[in-house]
């Protein structure tokens, strides 16, 4: 079996939290249980999840992001110079505000021993001959975007009047975390990245507080920091990107086809594969995939995690072959478009429905490409 992601049937990485874990998190935040007691609950929940991942026949295992409140902010909080507090307003998603902590700079960015390395070691120990552990982290571009958005920039400028200096410190921090993960045995890293999803939105210039030329400059900055952070990584370390348009409680943050970012992201980002949202009309068509350079792989996110309704198998197969007009079928893969719980609240489906979605992904992939060995 290959030990490299992606696999023909794959997933992004986050899973619905069991109620026991949610309750333990609340109890910890209210001071009713200790950190050690919370960790025991997390450990048990992850052990159960990985067993279910294996039983479902998947070759990749993750901790479901069970030790995090959000897919991205907890990672940032592991760096020096980053602070956070409960939000009063939340972030605007379509239909609902995402009530996740306001996160901001408190000083210069650096990192010591990032807690995600220990998180990975726990999952690494659960690998067997049929599975490989994957570590998901927000992309460097996502980290940068967090602090250069119009609402954050005044505070950021107190510490980094020069965006290039901020980008350099973030990239250097990532290099250390990536090396520490590698030394812990990690060979598969996934960079989760909503920054490109914001760039494709029809209102992107307003979102970033700039004009079209300014947006192009920001896109170059996003590309540069991702490539700078992964430059010099060990040759046997697989680094892939997952592009998302926001995923909170089955709502979304942005819309738009990949056309605007294709020549930057698909052609020039130095990753092995792209996990891409294609679950509804908001994602546009497959034509931008013609910009995917070299022998990079594309994981088609054709199955939605936002709804429990199962997709029609034949429709999905048809769409896979449509995508193959732009990227050869042997470089295409299948997954849900995003995780099932980018934030602790999770999407609006049950655990049973979550596993039915993954069973459908596997069934379709085996019909299109044959059984994966």
């Amino acid at each position: 079996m290959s030990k490299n992601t992606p696999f023909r049937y794959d997933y992004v990485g986050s899973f619905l939290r069991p109620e026991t874990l949610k309750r333990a998190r609340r109890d910890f935040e209210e001071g009713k249980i200790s950190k050690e007691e919370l960790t025991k609950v997390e450990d048990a929940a992850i052990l159960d999840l990985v067993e279910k991942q294996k039983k479902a026949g998947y070759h990749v295992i993750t901790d479901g992001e069970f030790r995090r409140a959000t897919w991205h902010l907890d990672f940032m909080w592991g760096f020096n110079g980053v602070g956070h507090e409960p939000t009063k307003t939340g972030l605007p998603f379509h239909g609902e505000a995402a009530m996740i902590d306001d996160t901001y700079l408190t000083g210069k960015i650096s990192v010591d021993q990032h807690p995600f390395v220990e998180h990975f070691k726990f999952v690494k120990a659960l690998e067997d001959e049929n599975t490989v552990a994957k570590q998901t982290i927000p992309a460097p571009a996502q980290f940068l975007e967090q602090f250069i958005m119009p609402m954050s920039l005044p505070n950021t400028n107190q510490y980094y009047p020069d965006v290039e200096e901020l980008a350099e410190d973030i990239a250097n921090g990532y290099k250390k975390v990536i090396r520490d993960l590698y030394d812990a045995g990690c060979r598969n890293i996934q960079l989760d990245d909503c920054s490109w999803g914001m760039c494709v939105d029809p209102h992107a210039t307003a979102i970033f507080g700039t004009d079209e030329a300014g947006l192009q400059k920001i896109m170059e900055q996003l590309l540069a920091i991702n490539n700078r952070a992964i430059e010099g990584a060990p040759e046997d370390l697989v680094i892939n990107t997952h592009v998302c348009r926001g995923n909170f409680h089955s709502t979304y943050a942005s819309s738009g086809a990949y056309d605007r970012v294709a020549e930057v992201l698909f052609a020039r980002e130095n990753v092995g594969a792209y996990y891409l949202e294609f679950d509804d009309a908001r994602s546009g068509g497959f034509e931008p995939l013609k910009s995917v350079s070299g022998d990079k792989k594309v994981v088609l996110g054709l199955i939605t995690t936002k709804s429990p309704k199962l997709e029609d198998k034949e429709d999905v197969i048809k769409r896979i072959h449509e995508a193959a007009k732009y990227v050869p079928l042997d470089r295409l893969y299948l997954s849900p478009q995003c995780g099932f719980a980018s934030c602790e609240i999770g999407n609006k489906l049950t655990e049973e429905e979550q596993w039915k979605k993954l069973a459908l992904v596997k069934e379709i992939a085996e019909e299109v490409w044959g059984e994966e060995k």
Side-chain angles (χ1 to χ4, degrees):
M1 186 202 86
S2 168
K3 290 290 185 178
N4 296 334
T5 55
F7 295 96
R8 289 297 180 194
Y9 48 94
D10 212 319
Y11 54 74
V12 169
S14 68
F15 283 74
L16 295 171
R17 274 63 154 179
E19 190 54 43
T20 53
L21 178 57
K22 291 182 178 181
R23 184 168 59 250
R25 183 91 60 207
R26 289 194 298 270
D27 288 346
F28 172 69
E29 290 172 354
E30 294 170 4
K32 296 178 180 178
I33 64 172
S34 67
K35 178 64 174 176
E36 291 73 22
E37 290 172 308
L38 172 61
T39 299
K40 287 182 180 179
V41 176
E42 291 172 341
D43 289 351
I46 292 167
L47 288 171
D48 181 64
L49 172 67
V50 170
E51 188 61 34
K52 290 176 179 175
Q53 291 168 346
K54 292 178 178 181
K55 185 177 180 181
Y58 277 74
H59 297 300
V60 63
I61 57 175
T62 72
D63 65 3
E65 302 180 3
F66 280 6
R67 303 190 198 274
R68 313 182 205 179
T70 70
W71 64 277
H72 60 321
L73 297 182
D74 297 65
F75 181 80
M76 298 178 194
W77 302 338
F79 281 65
N80 302 318
V82 179
H84 63 104
E85 60 187 21
T87 186
K88 294 181 176 64
T89 59
L91 293 174
F93 274 59
H94 286 257
E96 185 174 353
M99 302 303 288
I100 56 180
D101 279 17
D102 294 333
T103 299
Y104 45 83
L105 293 184
T106 59
K108 295 289 188 180
I109 294 289
S110 65
V111 64
D112 299 318
Q113 300 304 313
H114 199 286
F116 277 30
V117 177
E118 291 302 315
H119 297 176
F120 174 77
K121 289 178 181 178
F122 187 87
V123 182
K124 172 70 177 177
L126 303 177
E127 286 182 341
D128 57 27
E129 67 277 8
N130 295 315
T131 57
V132 61
K134 174 172 74 172
Q135 180 64 42
T136 64
I137 59 176
Q142 186 71 42
F143 202 123
L144 178 64
E145 183 194 63
Q146 179 72 27
F147 303 112
I148 65 170
M149 296 293 282
M151 60 186 175
S152 302
L153 201 52
N155 177 70
T156 298
N157 284 338
Q158 296 182 67
Y159 308 101
Y160 288 99
D162 181 3
V163 172
E164 285 305 310
E165 183 187 355
L166 172 61
E168 182 176 4
D169 283 355
I170 293 172
N172 287 337
Y174 268 80
K175 284 180 179 292
K176 183 181 188 306
V177 175
I178 289 170
R179 171 53 67 175
D180 290 348
L181 284 168
Y182 183 85
D183 290 344
C186 184
R187 296 297 181 269
N188 291 273
I189 292 176
Q190 178 181 296
L191 304 176
D192 294 320
D193 204 342
C194 280
S195 63
W196 303 104
M198 301 304 288
C199 288
V200 303
D201 193 271
H203 303 106
T205 53
I207 291 170
F208 286 97
T210 188
D211 55 17
E212 195 64 38
L215 183 61
Q216 291 299 316
K217 180 180 178 181
I218 288 171
M219 287 165 53
E220 290 293 336
Q221 290 174 327
L222 299 176
L223 174 71
I225 193 173
N226 281 351
N227 283 342
R228 185 186 302 177
I230 64 181
E231 184 180 16
E235 289 188 6
D236 61 337
L237 175 62
V238 175
I239 300 179
N240 301 320
T241 282
H242 164 237
V243 178
C244 182
R245 294 170 181 78
N247 186 28
F248 177 83
H249 207 207
S250 293
T251 64
Y252 62 92
S254 61
S255 299
Y258 292 103
D259 300 70
R260 180 187 269 156
V261 302
E263 286 299 322
V264 179
L265 176 66
F266 296 159
R268 296 165 55 202
E269 189 181 45
N270 298 326
V271 294
Y274 300 96
Y275 290 69
L276 300 176
E277 267 194 342
F278 280 113
D279 62 323
D280 62 22
R282 289 187 305 104
S283 305
F286 297 123
E287 188 171 358
L289 295 180
K290 65 186 180 184
S291 296
V292 174
S293 59
D295 59 356
K296 295 175 186 176
K297 301 168 182 177
V298 173
V299 186
L300 299 170
L302 298 173
I303 307 296
T304 191
T305 65
K306 297 182 186 294
S307 163
K309 183 180 179 181
L310 287 175
E311 286 77 1
D312 181 85
K313 183 171 72 170
E314 295 308 316
D315 286 347
V316 175
I317 292 174
K318 180 181 178 181
R319 296 195 71 199
I320 291 170
H321 288 291
E322 288 174 1
K325 297 175 183 177
Y326 305 100
V327 175
L329 186 63
D330 64 359
R331 284 168 42 211
L332 293 177
Y333 301 75
L334 183 64
S335 78
Q337 107 288 352
C338 195
F340 292 93
S342 299
C343 298
E344 195 168 14
I345 190 172
N347 282 349
K348 296 176 182 177
L349 69 169
T350 66
E351 287 190 51
E352 182 182 4
E353 290 164 342
Q354 167 184 263
W355 293 107
K356 284 182 178 179
K357 288 275 183 175
L358 290 173
L360 179 62
V361 170
K362 182 175 183 288
E363 179 183 346
I364 293 171
E366 289 180 338
E367 184 163 330
V368 173
W369 291 284
E371 289 193 25
E372 192 162 41
K373 302 298 184 182

